[in-house]
Amino acid sequence: MRKKPIFSLDPDQLERLLSVGTGDPDPTEEQEQQTDVNKPETDREGAARRGQHLHRERDLSANATASLVGMERPGSQIGRYKLLRVLGEGGMGMVYLAEQEGQIRRKVALKVIKPGMDSKRVIARFETERQALALLDHPGIAQVYDAGTTETGRPYFVMEHVRGLPITGYCDRHKLTVEERLRLFQQVCLAVHHAHQKGIIHRDIKPSNILVSAENDQPAPKIIDFGVAKAISQPLTERTLFTEDSQLLGTPEYMSPEQADMAGEDIDTRSDIYSLGVLLYVLLAGILPYDSQTFRGGWFRAYP
Amino acid sequence: MGRDDYTDMGGTEEAFLTTHWSIVEGLASADEGSSRALIESLLDHYWKPVYCYLRRKGHTNEEAKDLTQGFFHEVVLERHLVEKADPEKGRFRSFLLMALNRYLANVRKRDERQRRTPRGKLVPLHMVEPPELSQMAAQANPDDCFNYAWVSSLLERVLEEVERDCHREGKAVHWHLFYDRVLAPIMDRTDALSLKEICTKYGIEDEPKASNMIVTVKRRFQRLLREHLRKSVMSDDLLADELEEIKRFFPKIAQENG
């Protein structure tokens, strides 16, 4: 009866089957709800998460989540990409696992940016960076393939689909020693260095943008979202760290003061290096160099 | 009390008598005939995870089969592996993996390739199709690979039993509904058929009835999964821990964080 042997399933499929057997909600729901380990949950997110627990059926949940934020849902088409399922929801918007159709068929991660951005400007900014991005060729950097605008006018980015744990989670799960953490961090630095040599700044280096998987028993980090942060960052006049509903956009804990400062537009490679410094601190000390709540309360504005 | 009212709250006597730890304890005192039966039961439950682990460690198909065979054989014949087992100290799965690593170290030390394949094989593994893990699972580290294979093996066994039970009890349509609506979307990464489509496909009167039929099979799946898991722990109290442990096998995919 079963067409596919269970042994051939990917871990996420096994996890979902298991959740049916244990009566738990589908883990893809949990992925949608997952928040950055260092990001405090806002009341709104908490309420949404608790509300979503009421929906046990995956399709119901996907519908509900999609309608909550007015997003596309699995099964629909964006350009030449067919959305397969929700990978999750982050500060910028929804991320889907999608299949690229046409001559090249491949699974990709498709990130639809939340409403409120000037799509034309975002895409234009991405286009100017596109040539440079194409020069990035490093095993530690996930490729950004494409960008476009959905029918409802929101920008989206198409990226290499990367699996793995955020670097901090990986280190803890695998109980890496200080030396192993440093070696892993060194690999991340080399990848960032490669991009800097090509004139590309990431602008949003943080644990959830560095995914680590095991390759040949060795941890292999991959940085995602290169080029995306710059494209969606807004010019000075429109610049705000908060979206219309007062949700924080981005992760200021890892931002350099010049970047977090509302007036700062002169970002260079040093901003990424600052973020790497915070990351190194977290990897070695297990906590942020500052208290997150105090920080978000305005520390970075007081000390630009 | 009908069959559907069956409850295993508090644990079943049958399950208690056949925990995998009990098998190990039984082996210490069993005669050869019973040992063989007990070890065949262990082999049946664990050979695939052990095989996958060995493949991920770099052994060829044939080597992995031989080592798997040899490992289980030694668990029986060279009782020291069994004697060192301490149910108080942890999960059977971890014990087995520890024993396997000790066995591999011994084999390497002895370097006696021929002794790896015991005479009178318990189950002729060369006749059996080895499992092929998905590319993603196969690229995981050996421990994770073992865990994924172990979960696959567990789910495979439980779902086969659910399907068999459904057919035996004249609930074949129930099973098909469950398969189409719950299993297929996960296994084939497709959208689930709507309840309306399901009703049309199988000639069921209305959607609530179809939904109830699916829930019946889902509950059966959940009950049997608990029964099977119960066999690998010593007490009901440890079942919840075991479930939590299994859930930790699966790292969260994190690309969604933006």
Side-chain angles (χ1 to χ4, degrees):
Chain A
M1 172 65 203
R2 290 195 297 278
K3 291 164 234 157
K4 208 170 179 182
I6 288 183
F7 271 86
S8 67
L9 299 182
D10 288 332
D12 69 297
Q13 291 170 296
L14 286 177
E15 188 183 17
R16 290 177 62 197
L17 272 189
L18 193 67
S19 70
V20 176
T22 53
D24 289 328
D26 191 305
T28 51
E29 275 185 52
E30 285 177 21
Q31 285 161 19
E32 286 159 22
Q33 297 149 7
Q34 191 186 352
T35 48
D36 192 313
V37 281
N38 294 309
K39 181 180 167 190
E41 185 183 68
T42 64
D43 288 342
R44 188 172 171 277
E45 284 168 336
R49 189 168 59 79
R50 285 186 289 279
Q52 280 171 19
H53 268 300
L54 297 172
H55 301 286
R56 289 288 164 124
E57 291 279 328
R58 173 179 164 256
D59 46 1
L60 270 181
S61 161
N63 276 338
T65 312
S67 65
L68 267 177
V69 282
M71 298 286 180
E72 289 69 17
R73 58 170 307 234
S76 61
Q77 190 92 16
I78 293 183
R80 54 196 167 131
Y81 306 95
K82 186 186 176 194
L83 304 187
L84 299 177
R85 65 185 173 88
V86 175
L87 283 177
E89 185 178 359
M92 291 182 194
M94 296 287 275
V95 187
Y96 300 88
L97 178 69
E99 187 168 57
Q100 179 173 340
E101 297 179 333
Q103 281 190 328
I104 304 174
R105 289 182 75 89
R106 60 183 166 192
K107 297 262 170 64
V108 295
L110 192 146
K111 184 174 275 193
V112 183
I113 305 300
K114 276 181 179 168
M117 295 270 172
D118 180 342
S119 297
K120 275 186 193 161
R121 200 170 290 167
V122 169
I123 299 303
R125 210 176 289 134
F126 179 78
E127 289 300 332
T128 59
E129 183 123 306
R130 206 182 185 123
Q131 293 269 320
L133 282 174
L135 295 175
L136 293 185
D137 179 20
H138 192 279
I141 296 176
Q143 282 185 286
V144 180
Y145 301 128
D146 198 7
T149 314
T150 66
E151 279 179 13
T152 51
R154 284 196 304 277
Y156 67 85
F157 295 91
V158 183
M159 291 168 276
E160 183 180 343
H161 178 219
V162 180
R163 283 173 182 272
L165 285 174
I167 187 165
T168 41
Y170 184 94
C171 288
D172 294 341
R173 184 183 153 93
H174 293 269
K175 299 188 175 66
L176 296 197
T177 61
V178 168
E179 196 183 328
E180 287 166 329
R181 283 166 196 246
L182 287 173
R183 212 171 286 138
L184 189 59
F185 180 73
Q186 197 177 26
Q187 286 175 264
V188 175
C189 289
L190 287 172
V192 174
H193 179 66
H194 173 84
H196 287 177
Q197 294 295 95
K198 309 277 180 188
I200 307 265
I201 310 164
H202 191 290
R203 288 171 173 247
D204 196 14
I205 289 188
K206 57 183 176 180
S208 59
N209 276 341
I210 304 169
L211 302 184
V212 184
S213 60
E215 278 178 19
N216 301 319
D217 295 342
Q218 292 300 315
K222 206 158 226 190
I223 306 171
I224 59 172
D225 276 7
F226 253 110
V228 174
K230 183 171 184 186
I232 68 162
S233 69
Q234 303 185 19
L236 188 61
T237 48
E238 302 159 27
R239 192 139 180 236
T240 169
L241 270 174
F242 297 88
T243 54
E244 284 156 7
D245 51 4
S246 299
Q247 272 190 293
L248 268 169
L249 183 69
T251 317
E253 283 85 353
Y254 292 83
M255 275 185 191
S256 61
E258 71 271 17
Q259 199 178 357
D261 174 24
M262 301 297 209
E265 259 297 289
D266 298 327
I267 308 295
D268 62 27
T269 53
R270 287 172 295 183
S271 287
D272 280 351
I273 294 168
Y274 179 95
S275 307
L276 285 171
V278 179
L279 174 66
L280 179 62
Y281 189 100
V282 171
L283 284 177
L284 297 180
I287 51 165
L288 282 162
Y290 338 92
D291 173 62
S292 205
Q293 293 295 343
T294 317
F295 191 79
R296 282 171 185 260
W299 184 93
F300 60 92
R301 281 180 213 140
Y303 299 89
Chain B
M1 190 161 128
R3 172 86 188 161
D4 287 339
D5 298 321
Y6 174 86
T7 171
D8 61 351
M9 278 172 68
T12 62
E13 193 184 2
E14 182 189 40
F16 180 73
L17 288 174
T18 56
T19 63
H20 298 160
W21 276 118
S22 315
I23 292 181
V24 173
E25 289 186 329
L27 281 171
S29 55
D31 59 39
E32 202 177 321
S34 338
S35 292
R36 200 176 178 84
L38 290 172
I39 207 68
E40 275 177 16
S41 161
L42 275 187
L43 186 65
D44 183 42
H45 280 79
Y46 290 97
W47 84 265
K48 285 177 179 175
V50 167
Y51 169 88
C52 292
Y53 179 81
L54 292 168
R55 286 304 304 272
R56 190 64 190 85
K57 282 268 189 180
H59 296 283
T60 64
N61 176 30
E62 285 310 312
E63 277 174 356
K65 280 181 178 177
D66 279 355
L67 284 166
T68 305
Q69 192 89 44
F71 167 64
F72 281 99
H73 206 262
E74 287 209 8
V75 169
V76 191
L77 294 183
E78 304 199 4
R79 301 272 168 86
H80 61 271
L81 287 179
V82 175
E83 284 159 10
K84 283 183 185 166
D86 181 0
E88 299 299 316
K89 280 192 178 164
R91 295 182 172 79
F92 186 76
R93 202 175 40 253
S94 317
F95 156 71
L96 201 76
L97 205 51
M98 203 176 67
L100 175 62
N101 281 319
R102 198 180 300 140
Y103 169 72
L104 290 175
N106 286 341
V107 167
R108 263 196 300 273
K109 239 182 270 169
R110 290 193 313 238
D111 199 23
E112 289 173 0
R113 192 187 156 82
Q114 282 160 342
R115 283 193 58 188
R116 223 184 278 161
T117 313
R119 280 171 294 163
K121 287 182 176 179
L122 296 159
V123 174
L125 284 187
H126 61 274
M127 304 285 286
V128 185
E129 197 63 36
E132 271 188 40
L133 286 177
S134 77
Q135 206 186 359
M136 210 173 292
Q139 284 172 352
N141 69 47
D143 282 12
D144 285 344
C145 197
F146 177 88
N147 289 337
Y148 293 145
W150 185 82
V151 172
S152 302
S153 188
L154 172 73
L155 288 171
E156 187 178 63
R157 202 172 311 114
V158 173
L159 285 170
E160 268 169 16
E161 199 172 325
V162 175
E163 186 177 4
R164 208 167 44 235
D165 281 3
C166 284
H167 281 93
R168 197 182 53 228
E169 293 167 18
K171 288 180 178 160
V173 178
H174 285 63
W175 166 259
H176 288 295
L177 258 60
F178 174 70
Y179 182 86
D180 281 3
R181 174 86 176 160
V182 181
L183 297 188
I186 296 176
M187 294 171 71
D188 303 330
R189 294 196 191 279
T190 52
D191 286 337
L193 290 178
S194 69
L195 281 175
K196 199 175 168 189
E197 287 168 320
I198 291 258
C199 288
T200 311
K201 186 173 173 187
Y202 293 102
I204 294 160
E205 302 135 44
D206 54 40
E207 293 169 27
K209 186 173 180 192
S211 178
N212 283 337
M213 289 166 81
I214 293 166
V215 169
T216 301
V217 185
K218 212 183 254 184
R219 286 195 184 133
R220 172 68 55 90
F221 177 31
Q222 290 167 359
R223 177 166 65 75
L224 288 176
L225 183 72
R226 286 180 73 84
E227 281 182 19
H228 277 256
L229 274 176
R230 176 64 184 79
K231 291 178 189 172
S232 67
V233 292
M234 279 305 272
S235 71
D236 288 333
D237 298 342
L238 297 172
L239 189 59
D241 285 353
E242 175 69 354
L243 269 171
E244 284 308 308
E245 169 72 14
I246 293 170
K247 286 178 198 163
R248 281 196 287 271
F249 290 171
F250 300 96
K252 294 292 169 218
I253 299 164
Q255 192 161 9
E256 64 270 22
N257 286 316

